[in-house]
PDB file of all heavy atoms in Angstrom:
ATOM      1  N   MET A 852     -45.125 -44.781 -50.777  1.00 49.00           N
ATOM      2  CA  MET A 852     -44.365 -43.694 -51.259  1.00 49.00           C
ATOM      3  C   MET A 852     -44.451 -42.557 -50.199  1.00 49.00           C
ATOM      4  O   MET A 852     -43.421 -41.930 -49.914  1.00 49.00           O
ATOM      5  CB  MET A 852     -44.782 -43.197 -52.617  1.00 49.00           C
ATOM      6  CG  MET A 852     -44.436 -44.212 -53.703  1.00 49.00           C
ATOM      7  SD  MET A 852     -45.009 -43.593 -55.375  1.00 49.00           S
ATOM      8  CE  MET A 852     -44.079 -42.167 -55.563  1.00 49.00           C
ATOM      9  N   CYS A 860     -37.807 -37.513 -44.562  1.00 48.00           N
ATOM     10  CA  CYS A 860     -37.814 -36.211 -44.075  1.00 48.00           C
ATOM     11  C   CYS A 860     -37.446 -36.296 -42.594  1.00 48.00           C
ATOM     12  O   CYS A 860     -36.589 -35.350 -42.181  1.00 48.00           O
ATOM     13  CB  CYS A 860     -39.266 -35.648 -44.158  1.00 48.00           C
ATOM     14  SG  CYS A 860     -39.449 -33.903 -43.575  1.00 48.00           S
ATOM     15  N   PRO A 879     -20.131 -20.762 -38.860  1.00 95.00           N
ATOM     16  CA  PRO A 879     -21.169 -20.977 -37.806  1.00 95.00           C
ATOM     17  C   PRO A 879     -21.689 -22.465 -37.758  1.00 95.00           C
ATOM     18  O   PRO A 879     -22.189 -22.867 -38.927  1.00 95.00           O
ATOM     19  CB  PRO A 879     -22.205 -19.969 -38.200  1.00 95.00           C
ATOM     20  CG  PRO A 879     -21.533 -18.899 -38.981  1.00 95.00           C
ATOM     21  CD  PRO A 879     -20.372 -19.608 -39.690  1.00 95.00           C
ATOM     22  N   PRO A 885     -30.330 -20.051 -41.337  1.00 96.00           N
ATOM     23  CA  PRO A 885     -29.567 -20.771 -42.321  1.00 96.00           C
ATOM     24  C   PRO A 885     -29.747 -19.986 -43.720  1.00 96.00           C
ATOM     25  O   PRO A 885     -30.899 -19.693 -44.100  1.00 96.00           O
ATOM     26  CB  PRO A 885     -30.176 -22.091 -42.373  1.00 96.00           C
ATOM     27  CG  PRO A 885     -30.943 -22.232 -41.129  1.00 96.00           C
ATOM     28  CD  PRO A 885     -31.364 -20.822 -40.822  1.00 96.00           C
ATOM     29  N   SER A 920     -35.195   4.571 -52.264  1.00 96.00           N
ATOM     30  CA  SER A 920     -34.694   4.580 -53.649  1.00 96.00           C
ATOM     31  C   SER A 920     -35.549   5.460 -54.454  1.00 96.00           C
ATOM     32  O   SER A 920     -36.622   5.888 -53.999  1.00 96.00           O
ATOM     33  CB  SER A 920     -34.596   3.142 -54.139  1.00 96.00           C
ATOM     34  OG  SER A 920     -35.938   2.676 -54.407  1.00 96.00           O
ATOM     35  N   TYR A 968     -22.276 -13.597 -40.943  1.00 98.00           N
ATOM     36  CA  TYR A 968     -21.119 -14.320 -40.301  1.00 98.00           C
ATOM     37  C   TYR A 968     -20.854 -13.728 -38.952  1.00 98.00           C
ATOM     38  O   TYR A 968     -20.636 -14.476 -37.919  1.00 98.00           O
ATOM     39  CB  TYR A 968     -19.909 -14.205 -41.197  1.00 98.00           C
ATOM     40  CG  TYR A 968     -18.714 -14.986 -40.704  1.00 98.00           C
ATOM     41  CD1 TYR A 968     -18.590 -16.303 -41.021  1.00 98.00           C
ATOM     42  CD2 TYR A 968     -17.740 -14.489 -39.880  1.00 98.00           C
ATOM     43  CE1 TYR A 968     -17.573 -17.153 -40.539  1.00 98.00           C
ATOM     44  CE2 TYR A 968     -16.691 -15.150 -39.410  1.00 98.00           C
ATOM     45  CZ  TYR A 968     -16.559 -16.568 -39.730  1.00 98.00           C
ATOM     46  OH  TYR A 968     -15.544 -17.291 -39.198  1.00 98.00           O
ATOM     47  N   LEU A 984     -17.091  -7.147 -31.625  1.00 98.00           N
ATOM     48  CA  LEU A 984     -18.394  -6.405 -31.537  1.00 98.00           C
ATOM     49  C   LEU A 984     -18.587  -5.756 -30.274  1.00 98.00           C
ATOM     50  O   LEU A 984     -19.412  -4.812 -30.163  1.00 98.00           O
ATOM     51  CB  LEU A 984     -19.524  -7.402 -31.814  1.00 98.00           C
ATOM     52  CG  LEU A 984     -19.598  -7.977 -33.239  1.00 98.00           C
ATOM     53  CD1 LEU A 984     -20.821  -8.810 -33.438  1.00 98.00           C
ATOM     54  CD2 LEU A 984     -19.472  -6.897 -34.329  1.00 98.00           C
ATOM     55  N   PRO A 993     -26.732  -3.572 -47.599  1.00 98.00           N
ATOM     56  CA  PRO A 993     -26.486  -4.512 -48.697  1.00 98.00           C
ATOM     57  C   PRO A 993     -26.528  -4.061 -50.057  1.00 98.00           C
ATOM     58  O   PRO A 993     -25.774  -4.409 -50.968  1.00 98.00           O
ATOM     59  CB  PRO A 993     -27.556  -5.582 -48.386  1.00 98.00           C
ATOM     60  CG  PRO A 993     -27.917  -5.394 -46.935  1.00 98.00           C
ATOM     61  CD  PRO A 993     -27.740  -3.996 -46.657  1.00 98.00           C
ATOM     62  N   ARG A1000     -30.992  -3.136 -59.232  1.00 95.00           N
ATOM     63  CA  ARG A1000     -30.605  -4.472 -59.002  1.00 95.00           C
ATOM     64  C   ARG A1000     -31.676  -5.441 -59.387  1.00 95.00           C
ATOM     65  O   ARG A1000     -31.479  -6.452 -60.057  1.00 95.00           O
ATOM     66  CB  ARG A1000     -30.310  -4.682 -57.428  1.00 95.00           C
ATOM     67  CG  ARG A1000     -29.991  -6.143 -57.033  1.00 95.00           C
ATOM     68  CD  ARG A1000     -29.950  -6.363 -55.494  1.00 95.00           C
ATOM     69  NE  ARG A1000     -29.542  -7.673 -55.169  1.00 95.00           N
ATOM     70  CZ  ARG A1000     -28.337  -8.205 -55.179  1.00 95.00           C
ATOM     71  NH1 ARG A1000     -27.272  -7.323 -55.516  1.00 95.00           N
ATOM     72  NH2 ARG A1000     -28.049  -9.367 -54.843  1.00 95.00           N
ATOM     73  N   ASN A1008     -30.750  -9.161 -69.558  1.00 91.00           N
ATOM     74  CA  ASN A1008     -29.529  -8.171 -69.616  1.00 91.00           C
ATOM     75  C   ASN A1008     -28.379  -8.959 -70.048  1.00 91.00           C
ATOM     76  O   ASN A1008     -28.415 -10.232 -70.077  1.00 91.00           O
ATOM     77  CB  ASN A1008     -29.248  -7.514 -68.304  1.00 91.00           C
ATOM     78  CG  ASN A1008     -30.271  -6.508 -67.900  1.00 91.00           C
ATOM     79  OD1 ASN A1008     -30.201  -5.427 -68.486  1.00 91.00           O
ATOM     80  ND2 ASN A1008     -31.094  -6.732 -66.979  1.00 91.00           N
ATOM     81  N   ARG A1014     -25.392  -0.758 -65.832  1.00 76.00           N
ATOM     82  CA  ARG A1014     -24.583  -0.289 -64.629  1.00 76.00           C
ATOM     83  C   ARG A1014     -25.365   0.793 -63.790  1.00 76.00           C
ATOM     84  O   ARG A1014     -24.896   1.156 -62.748  1.00 76.00           O
ATOM     85  CB  ARG A1014     -23.249   0.297 -65.052  1.00 76.00           C
ATOM     86  CG  ARG A1014     -22.306  -0.733 -65.565  1.00 76.00           C
ATOM     87  CD  ARG A1014     -21.085  -0.113 -66.201  1.00 76.00           C
ATOM     88  NE  ARG A1014     -20.396   0.835 -65.379  1.00 76.00           N
ATOM     89  CZ  ARG A1014     -19.482   0.437 -64.462  1.00 76.00           C
ATOM     90  NH1 ARG A1014     -19.257  -0.779 -64.320  1.00 76.00           N
ATOM     91  NH2 ARG A1014     -18.803   1.368 -63.684  1.00 76.00           N
ATOM     92  N   GLY A1079     -23.902  -8.275 -82.959  1.00 91.00           N
ATOM     93  CA  GLY A1079     -24.017  -7.605 -81.683  1.00 91.00           C
ATOM     94  C   GLY A1079     -25.002  -8.266 -80.687  1.00 91.00           C
ATOM     95  O   GLY A1079     -25.332  -9.490 -80.974  1.00 91.00           O
ATOM     96  N   ILE A1114     -17.446  16.160 -69.138  1.00 93.00           N
ATOM     97  CA  ILE A1114     -16.133  15.889 -68.695  1.00 93.00           C
ATOM     98  C   ILE A1114     -15.958  14.475 -68.185  1.00 93.00           C
ATOM     99  O   ILE A1114     -15.116  13.714 -68.599  1.00 93.00           O
ATOM    100  CB  ILE A1114     -15.553  16.942 -67.641  1.00 93.00           C
ATOM    101  CG1 ILE A1114     -15.436  18.261 -68.256  1.00 93.00           C
ATOM    102  CG2 ILE A1114     -14.235  16.443 -67.168  1.00 93.00           C
ATOM    103  CD1 ILE A1114     -15.081  19.350 -67.300  1.00 93.00           C
ATOM    104  N   ALA A1144     -14.211   2.218 -44.267  1.00 98.00           N
ATOM    105  CA  ALA A1144     -15.313   1.978 -45.159  1.00 98.00           C
ATOM    106  C   ALA A1144     -14.899   1.094 -46.335  1.00 98.00           C
ATOM    107  O   ALA A1144     -13.732   0.993 -46.683  1.00 98.00           O
ATOM    108  CB  ALA A1144     -15.854   3.242 -45.734  1.00 98.00           C
ATOM    109  N   GLY A1179      -3.813  -2.669 -47.516  1.00 98.00           N
ATOM    110  CA  GLY A1179      -3.865  -3.224 -48.904  1.00 98.00           C
ATOM    111  C   GLY A1179      -2.982  -4.448 -49.075  1.00 98.00           C
ATOM    112  O   GLY A1179      -3.426  -5.447 -49.691  1.00 98.00           O
ATOM    113  N   GLY A1188      -5.072 -13.820 -55.774  1.00 95.00           N
ATOM    114  CA  GLY A1188      -5.460 -13.267 -56.972  1.00 95.00           C
ATOM    115  C   GLY A1188      -5.826 -11.878 -57.085  1.00 95.00           C
ATOM    116  O   GLY A1188      -5.944 -11.254 -58.180  1.00 95.00           O
ATOM    117  N   LEU A1222     -14.760  -7.301 -56.911  1.00 98.00           N
ATOM    118  CA  LEU A1222     -14.973  -8.719 -56.668  1.00 98.00           C
ATOM    119  C   LEU A1222     -14.966  -9.609 -57.910  1.00 98.00           C
ATOM    120  O   LEU A1222     -15.474  -9.235 -58.996  1.00 98.00           O
ATOM    121  CB  LEU A1222     -16.291  -8.883 -55.898  1.00 98.00           C
ATOM    122  CG  LEU A1222     -16.517  -7.999 -54.783  1.00 98.00           C
ATOM    123  CD1 LEU A1222     -17.996  -8.090 -54.217  1.00 98.00           C
ATOM    124  CD2 LEU A1222     -15.533  -8.286 -53.653  1.00 98.00           C
ATOM    125  N   MET A1228     -10.678 -19.446 -61.210  1.00 95.00           N
ATOM    126  CA  MET A1228     -11.067 -20.425 -61.973  1.00 95.00           C
ATOM    127  C   MET A1228     -10.203 -21.702 -61.835  1.00 95.00           C
ATOM    128  O   MET A1228     -10.724 -22.835 -61.656  1.00 95.00           O
ATOM    129  CB  MET A1228     -11.211 -20.047 -63.489  1.00 95.00           C
ATOM    130  CG  MET A1228     -12.238 -19.105 -63.778  1.00 95.00           C
ATOM    131  SD  MET A1228     -12.293 -18.620 -65.507  1.00 95.00           S
ATOM    132  CE  MET A1228     -13.855 -17.542 -65.530  1.00 95.00           C
ATOM    133  N   THR A1237      -9.597 -14.765 -69.778  1.00 82.00           N
ATOM    134  CA  THR A1237      -9.437 -14.831 -71.238  1.00 82.00           C
ATOM    135  C   THR A1237     -10.547 -15.695 -71.890  1.00 82.00           C
ATOM    136  O   THR A1237     -11.252 -16.464 -71.190  1.00 82.00           O
ATOM    137  CB  THR A1237      -8.082 -15.443 -71.598  1.00 82.00           C
ATOM    138  OG1 THR A1237      -8.072 -16.770 -71.166  1.00 82.00           O
ATOM    139  CG2 THR A1237      -6.929 -14.695 -71.049  1.00 82.00           C
ATOM    140  N   ILE A1317       3.368  18.790  -6.061  1.00 94.00           N
ATOM    141  CA  ILE A1317       4.364  19.687  -6.480  1.00 94.00           C
ATOM    142  C   ILE A1317       4.433  21.012  -5.620  1.00 94.00           C
ATOM    143  O   ILE A1317       5.096  21.953  -6.008  1.00 94.00           O
ATOM    144  CB  ILE A1317       4.115  20.081  -8.016  1.00 94.00           C
ATOM    145  CG1 ILE A1317       2.737  20.773  -8.152  1.00 94.00           C
ATOM    146  CG2 ILE A1317       4.333  18.954  -8.833  1.00 94.00           C
ATOM    147  CD1 ILE A1317       2.542  21.271  -9.519  1.00 94.00           C
ATOM    148  N   ILE A1334      -4.888   2.400 -37.294  1.00 98.00           N
ATOM    149  CA  ILE A1334      -5.504   3.623 -37.846  1.00 98.00           C
ATOM    150  C   ILE A1334      -5.597   4.720 -36.783  1.00 98.00           C
ATOM    151  O   ILE A1334      -5.999   4.459 -35.642  1.00 98.00           O
ATOM    152  CB  ILE A1334      -6.945   3.323 -38.293  1.00 98.00           C
ATOM    153  CG1 ILE A1334      -6.854   2.343 -39.545  1.00 98.00           C
ATOM    154  CG2 ILE A1334      -7.744   4.520 -38.756  1.00 98.00           C
ATOM    155  CD1 ILE A1334      -8.091   1.817 -40.047  1.00 98.00           C
ATOM    156  N   THR A1336      -6.756   8.289 -34.817  1.00 98.00           N
ATOM    157  CA  THR A1336      -8.152   8.842 -34.588  1.00 98.00           C
ATOM    158  C   THR A1336      -8.468   9.933 -35.607  1.00 98.00           C
ATOM    159  O   THR A1336      -9.659  10.205 -35.740  1.00 98.00           O
ATOM    160  CB  THR A1336      -8.209   9.396 -33.156  1.00 98.00           C
ATOM    161  OG1 THR A1336      -7.158  10.403 -33.030  1.00 98.00           O
ATOM    162  CG2 THR A1336      -8.058   8.274 -32.139  1.00 98.00           C
ATOM    163  N   LYS A1343      -5.783  18.017 -41.812  1.00 96.00           N
ATOM    164  CA  LYS A1343      -5.443  19.134 -42.790  1.00 96.00           C
ATOM    165  C   LYS A1343      -6.724  20.035 -43.060  1.00 96.00           C
ATOM    166  O   LYS A1343      -6.557  21.289 -43.286  1.00 96.00           O
ATOM    167  CB  LYS A1343      -4.966  18.451 -44.067  1.00 96.00           C
ATOM    168  CG  LYS A1343      -4.556  19.546 -45.238  1.00 96.00           C
ATOM    169  CD  LYS A1343      -3.916  18.809 -46.383  1.00 96.00           C
ATOM    170  CE  LYS A1343      -4.794  17.861 -47.066  1.00 96.00           C
ATOM    171  NZ  LYS A1343      -4.118  17.305 -48.305  1.00 96.00           N
ATOM    172  N   GLY A1390      -1.843   6.025 -34.848  1.00 98.00           N
ATOM    173  CA  GLY A1390      -1.957   4.534 -34.759  1.00 98.00           C
ATOM    174  C   GLY A1390      -0.742   3.937 -34.124  1.00 98.00           C
ATOM    175  O   GLY A1390       0.403   4.382 -34.340  1.00 98.00           O
ATOM    176  N   TRP A1398      -2.334  17.861 -16.121  1.00 98.00           N
ATOM    177  CA  TRP A1398      -3.066  18.925 -15.461  1.00 98.00           C
ATOM    178  C   TRP A1398      -2.405  19.297 -14.164  1.00 98.00           C
ATOM    179  O   TRP A1398      -1.747  18.459 -13.486  1.00 98.00           O
ATOM    180  CB  TRP A1398      -4.439  18.439 -15.156  1.00 98.00           C
ATOM    181  CG  TRP A1398      -5.355  18.023 -16.340  1.00 98.00           C
ATOM    182  CD1 TRP A1398      -6.180  18.812 -17.019  1.00 98.00           C
ATOM    183  CD2 TRP A1398      -5.468  16.677 -16.881  1.00 98.00           C
ATOM    184  NE1 TRP A1398      -6.792  18.096 -17.969  1.00 98.00           N
ATOM    185  CE2 TRP A1398      -6.442  16.769 -17.861  1.00 98.00           C
ATOM    186  CE3 TRP A1398      -4.818  15.490 -16.527  1.00 98.00           C
ATOM    187  CZ2 TRP A1398      -6.728  15.729 -18.731  1.00 98.00           C
ATOM    188  CZ3 TRP A1398      -5.223  14.395 -17.355  1.00 98.00           C
ATOM    189  CH2 TRP A1398      -6.145  14.550 -18.360  1.00 98.00           C
ATOM    190  N   PHE A1406      -8.705  10.617  -8.992  1.00 97.00           N
ATOM    191  CA  PHE A1406      -8.788  11.311 -10.257  1.00 97.00           C
ATOM    192  C   PHE A1406      -9.310  10.314 -11.320  1.00 97.00           C
ATOM    193  O   PHE A1406      -8.889   9.112 -11.332  1.00 97.00           O
ATOM    194  CB  PHE A1406      -7.608  11.968 -10.741  1.00 97.00           C
ATOM    195  CG  PHE A1406      -7.119  13.029  -9.726  1.00 97.00           C
ATOM    196  CD1 PHE A1406      -5.991  12.684  -8.876  1.00 97.00           C
ATOM    197  CD2 PHE A1406      -7.708  14.241  -9.675  1.00 97.00           C
ATOM    198  CE1 PHE A1406      -5.597  13.630  -7.942  1.00 97.00           C
ATOM    199  CE2 PHE A1406      -7.201  15.190  -8.772  1.00 97.00           C
ATOM    200  CZ  PHE A1406      -6.130  14.941  -7.936  1.00 97.00           C
TER     201      PHE A1406
END
Side-chain angles (χ1 to χ4, degrees):
M852 291 177 64
C860 182
S920 70
Y968 186 86
L984 295 186
R1000 178 186 184 83
N1008 286 288
R1014 287 172 55 83
I1114 295 176
L1222 308 171
M1228 290 181 173
T1237 63
I1317 59 174
I1334 295 176
T1336 56
K1343 182 172 63 176
W1398 298 269
F1406 301 101

